[in-house]
Amino acid sequence: MRKVLSTLLAIILVCMVAAPMGYAAEKQANLAENASSAIVIERDTGEVLFEKNSHDQLPPASMTKIMTMLLIMEAIDEGSLSYDDKIRTSENAASMGGSQVFLEPGEEMTVTDMLKAIAVASGNDASVAMAEHLGGTEEEFVSMMNEKAKELGLENTNFMNSNGLPAENHYTTAYDLAMISKELLKYEDITKFTGIYEDYLRQDSENKFWLVNTNKLVKFYPGVDGLKTGFTREAMYCLTATAQKNDMRVISVIMGAPTPKERNAQITEMLDYSFSQFKTHKLYERDHVLAEVKVSKGDKNQIPVQTSESVSILTKKGESIDDVTERMEIDQQLHAPLAKGDPVGTLYIERAGEVLSETPLVAGDDVMDASWWKLFKNVLSKFSGK
C-alpha cells in the first residue's frame, strides 16, 4: 500500500515533454554504420536517443571496468571504503597482462591512485587488486558484479572477470553498458577520475609512472569526461563515452568498430546528434530533499525524503510546452530501523495522466530503533495530547 502525499500532488511544471519512447518510434538517424552495436541515452531519464543492435550480446573488453568502478564507488558512498585506504597488490593481481600500471606484488596504493589506474590507464592489475580487496577474491567480486547487473534488471550481461580480458561466457550489450554507466554517473566524483587526460602514479618515487587517458575524446571533444575504452581482437574497438553540455548529459556506446579512429568518429557523431536535437530540463539534483515524513518506533520521529538520482525531463528542441505534474508516493507506515539510502517511495513525473518517469525516493538519514524510554514517552504524549 502506498500513501499519496497531497502536498506534492499536481505541482505544475512549465516544461516541454514528449511521450516516452517516442524518439525510438521516429526514423533512426544515420549513425554508427561501421559498428556492430551502438546506443545513445540521456543520463537522467534513460531515454534512448539512438540505437543499433543495442541488445546484441558482445564481448565488452575493458568497458567491463565500468561495472568494477561502479562497485568501488558504491563502497565509497556506503562508507566501507575510503579514497585514502591502502590497497595491497597480490601476486595474482600483479600477474595480469594487457593494459597495466605494472603493480608489484606487495605494492600498496591508495584507492584514489587505483581508481586513476583503472579509469585513465585501464589497468588490469589495478582492477584485480581492487576486486580482491572488495570481494576477498576476484571470483567473489565477479559474483558481486553479476548480482549488481541483475539488480539493475540487465538480462544480457554476464561477467567472468573484473577487467575485461578475453574469457568464455563474458559478454554484455550496448544497452546494458549504458544502464551500468547511468548508475555509475550517480556518483559525481567518478568523472574526476575518468575525466583526467594525463597524470602520474608514484609521483614522489623513482618509479614515477605517466598516465595518459585511453579515451582521447576527453581532450578533443568539449564536455567529454569519461567513461571507458576497450579493445581486444574479439571485441574490436569499443568506447562508452559520456559528455555534458547545458545541463544535458548523454551516454554513448560503440561496440565492434574496426579502428580507434572510426570508433572516436562515430561516438563524436552520436554526441553531436544528441546535443543538436534534444534538450534536458533539470528538475532536481541527486539527494534533493522533497519532504519530511513520519517514522514510527524510531529514535527520530521523522526523516527527510530525497531523490536517489537526478530528475529531468527530456524534449526535442523546439517542441511546444505542455503542463507536467509531479506526484510523490511514500510507503505507508515507515518504521525503524531505516538506513540512509533505503528506498521509501517513488517520485512520478506525469503528463496528461501518463507516467513519463519514475525515480526512487530514499531515506535521507539513518533511523535506529527507539529506546524503551523514548517509546514510553511517545505513549505518554499521545495520552497527554502533546
Side-chain angles (χ1 to χ4, degrees), residues 321-339:
I321 295 175
D322 291 308
D323 290 338
V324 173
T325 62
E326 63 181 54
R327 172 170 56 90
M328 186 171 73
E329 293 188 359
I330 298 298
D331 296 340
Q332 196 170 29
Q333 297 188 3
L334 292 176
H335 57 80
L338 280 173

Side-chain angles (χ1 to χ4, degrees), residues 267-335:
I267 285 283
T268 296
E269 288 177 354
M270 290 195 289
L271 294 176
D272 287 345
Y273 167 75
S274 302
F275 289 122
S276 68
Q277 298 299 307
F278 299 94
K279 182 177 180 179
T280 296
H281 305 264
K282 184 79 72 176
L283 304 183
Y284 301 112
E285 298 288 350
R286 182 178 182 237
D287 295 334
H288 180 86
V289 176
L290 290 174
E292 298 277 339
V293 297
K294 292 182 178 179
V295 180
S296 63
K297 300 181 180 180
D299 62 345
K300 300 169 185 173
N301 293 327
Q302 59 182 21
I303 57 165
V305 170
Q306 58 191 40
T307 55
S308 61
E309 59 183 312
S310 297
V311 182
S312 299
I313 295 173
L314 180 73
T315 73
K316 288 207 74 173
K317 286 188 174 179
E319 285 188 344
S320 61
I321 295 175
D322 291 308
D323 290 338
V324 173
T325 62
E326 63 181 54
R327 172 170 56 90
M328 186 171 73
E329 293 188 359
I330 298 298
D331 296 340
Q332 196 170 29
Q333 297 188 3
L334 292 176
H335 57 80

Side-chain angles (χ1 to χ4, degrees), residues 312-377:
S312 299
I313 295 173
L314 180 73
T315 73
K316 288 207 74 173
K317 286 188 174 179
E319 285 188 344
S320 61
I321 295 175
D322 291 308
D323 290 338
V324 173
T325 62
E326 63 181 54
R327 172 170 56 90
M328 186 171 73
E329 293 188 359
I330 298 298
D331 296 340
Q332 196 170 29
Q333 297 188 3
L334 292 176
H335 57 80
L338 280 173
K340 183 178 180 179
D342 280 352
V344 295
T346 305
L347 175 67
Y348 296 93
I349 305 299
E350 300 175 329
R351 170 179 175 263
E354 184 175 22
V355 176
L356 303 177
S357 70
E358 299 180 21
T359 303
L361 299 176
V362 297
D365 206 348
D366 296 324
V367 183
M368 307 301 292
D369 286 319
S371 65
W372 69 268
W373 176 242
K374 180 170 177 58
L375 292 173
F376 178 66
K377 288 198 297 182

Side-chain angles (χ1 to χ4, degrees), residues 31-249:
L31 301 169
E33 291 184 296
N34 295 321
S36 301
S37 177
I39 195 169
V40 187
I41 69 167
E42 194 275 333
R43 199 230 75 91
D44 286 359
T45 62
E47 290 262 15
V48 176
L49 309 183
F50 167 82
E51 70 87 30
K52 173 188 175 182
N53 304 328
S54 65
H55 295 286
D56 287 2
Q57 295 177 356
L58 296 168
S62 281
M63 293 190 297
T64 298
K65 297 182 178 83
I66 297 170
M67 178 63 90
T68 299
M69 290 189 287
L70 170 57
L71 295 184
I72 293 169
M73 296 307 294
E74 281 190 342
I76 292 170
D77 190 62
E78 293 165 359
S80 60
L81 185 71
S82 77
Y83 288 116
D84 295 328
D85 287 350
K86 292 288 186 72
I87 308 300
R88 186 179 182 279
T89 304
S90 69
E91 292 273 0
N92 178 52
S95 72
M96 293 295 113
S99 301
Q100 55 186 303
V101 294
F102 301 99
L103 294 170
E104 295 288 342
E107 182 176 3
E108 291 187 341
M109 278 192 180
T110 63
V111 170
T112 292
D113 283 346
M114 287 289 188
L115 270 170
K116 286 181 184 178
I118 295 168
V120 180
S122 194
N124 295 325
D125 44 2
S127 296
V128 174
M130 287 301 309
E132 291 174 341
H133 181 82
L134 290 175
T137 65
E138 188 183 16
E139 290 75 19
E140 284 300 315
F141 184 80
V142 170
S143 295
M144 294 164 59
M145 295 169 71
N146 288 322
E147 189 60 36
K148 186 64 181 181
K150 290 180 182 177
E151 181 186 318
L152 295 174
L154 308 180
E155 300 178 352
N156 292 300
T157 290
N158 189 69
F159 296 115
M160 298 299 292
N161 58 52
S162 63
N163 51 32
L165 285 170
E168 187 177 354
N169 210 34
H170 186 93
Y171 60 82
T172 187
T173 69
Y175 174 85
D176 287 7
L177 280 168
M179 293 302 110
I180 297 168
S181 301
K182 182 180 188 299
E183 189 73 11
L184 174 60
L185 287 164
K186 287 182 181 179
Y187 306 101
E188 294 181 359
D189 276 0
I190 193 59
T191 56
K192 295 177 182 178
F193 298 96
T194 60
I196 294 170
Y197 184 68
E198 58 182 332
D199 205 336
Y200 289 90
L201 295 178
R202 310 181 186 96
Q203 183 93 26
D204 301 321
S205 75
E206 295 179 357
N207 298 319
K208 188 175 180 180
F209 189 84
W210 186 35
L211 300 173
V212 180
N213 204 319
T214 55
N215 179 8
K216 304 308 178 188
L217 294 183
V218 165
K219 183 175 183 179
F220 296 109
Y221 191 102
V224 169
D225 52 8
L227 277 167
K228 194 70 202 70
T229 58
F231 170 76
T232 63
R233 290 181 181 177
E234 182 186 18
M236 299 300 289
Y237 291 92
C238 308
L239 174 58
T240 298
T242 184
Q244 183 166 331
K245 290 184 180 180
N246 301 323
D247 281 336
M248 178 178 175
R249 179 175 286 281

